[in-house]
Amino acid sequence: KTSNNIGFIVALDNTKGKKSVFIKMNDEYNGYRLVELTNTKATLERNGRRYKLEFKKSKSSKMLDDINTAKPKRLSYSDDIVRAVSKNEVNRYTKDFSAIWKSISINEVKEDGKIVGFKVEAIKKGTIFEKLGLKPNDIIVAVNNKPMRSYASAFKIYRDINKMTSLKITVKRDNKTKELEYEIY
């Protein structure tokens, strides 16, 4: 919950392969609209009926109270989760192109003289690229299932990122293909 009853919940949709779904205030998902949100419950409405979801108390429930008062701390992510990135943070990089190059260093990877991806050489600690789970030596081979075979394809993603609500980056890491998924809220 944030002030003025603005916020979102994250739900796990088992019908879509256990995909995380972000539901913002007044957004609708599967016919349910999120109408109220507090630190202890979410209220959804469907066909004039209200459904209350109460959040369980746990050892980590203090985190709910800290969300609005503390700056995000550096997090450690497992490789198989959907990460959340704020639109404001994304916009910061789209408005200041030089901020990208101050945060990440990449080089093209070629096979038979053709670009097959972009290798992450270095990432500045605390930047959005670290939060996204990218690591040095990752080779970015596709974004949203579109191969990264040219600088033009990379700049198209950069140009269109403000219109996106999710992003899937396919990387080669340790000779394995990994998909890093992001929800942009």
Side-chain angles (χ1 to χ4, degrees):
K1 176 189 175 214
T2 59
S3 61
N4 299 325
N5 209 25
I6 302 169
F8 66 92
I9 59 173
V10 181
L12 187 62
D13 189 341
N14 289 328
T15 65
K16 294 187 179 180
K18 294 189 177 184
K19 182 177 175 147
S20 294
V21 178
F22 284 76
I23 306 169
K24 296 184 290 186
M25 284 301 301
N26 296 310
D27 274 0
E28 201 169 293
Y29 185 72
N30 287 346
Y32 293 92
R33 187 170 57 90
L34 181 60
V35 295
E36 185 180 353
L37 185 61
T38 70
N39 285 347
T40 59
K41 72 176 185 314
T43 304
L44 298 122
E45 190 173 77
R46 182 177 186 180
N47 298 328
R49 294 187 71 191
R50 288 190 170 221
Y51 302 87
K52 292 184 182 184
L53 301 175
E54 293 189 3
F55 304 124
K56 289 182 180 179
K57 288 278 184 188
S58 69
K59 291 179 184 177
S60 63
S61 66
K62 185 181 181 306
M63 188 174 84
L64 288 173
D65 298 330
D66 293 340
I67 287 174
N68 296 321
T69 57
K71 290 190 174 187
K73 296 177 183 161
R74 206 159 99 197
L75 300 174
S76 172
Y77 296 110
S78 74
D79 288 336
D80 299 322
I81 63 168
V82 177
R83 294 161 176 85
V85 181
S86 77
K87 192 90 119 159
N88 288 338
E89 197 165 8
V90 170
N91 288 339
R92 180 179 151 241
Y93 285 94
T94 59
K95 290 178 182 175
D96 182 9
F97 191 72
S98 67
I100 294 172
W101 305 120
K102 292 175 186 172
S103 302
I104 189 170
S105 173
I106 60 172
N107 283 314
E108 60 191 32
V109 176
K110 289 185 176 183
E111 289 179 9
D112 298 324
K114 295 182 181 180
I115 295 175
V116 295
F118 293 90
K119 182 178 181 182
V120 177
E121 300 291 343
I123 296 176
K124 186 175 178 181
K125 290 196 181 297
T127 64
I128 191 173
F129 301 102
E130 182 185 44
K131 292 176 189 174
L132 293 176
L134 289 170
K135 296 180 180 183
N137 298 316
D138 281 352
I139 299 172
I140 302 168
V141 295
V143 177
N144 290 347
N145 298 320
K146 294 179 180 138
M148 292 286 103
R149 294 194 177 130
S150 68
Y151 285 99
S153 58
F155 284 112
K156 181 171 178 15
I157 296 297
Y158 171 78
R159 187 183 68 232
D160 295 342
I161 194 124
N162 284 333
K163 301 173 195 167
M164 297 179 189
T165 57
S166 63
L167 191 65
K168 180 168 64 172
I169 299 178
T170 305
V171 299
K172 284 190 180 177
R173 178 182 293 163
D174 301 324
N175 294 321
K176 295 178 184 172
T177 300
K178 292 204 162 291
E179 290 184 345
L180 305 174
E181 294 187 59
Y182 314 98
E183 298 288 339
I184 302 171
Y185 63 93

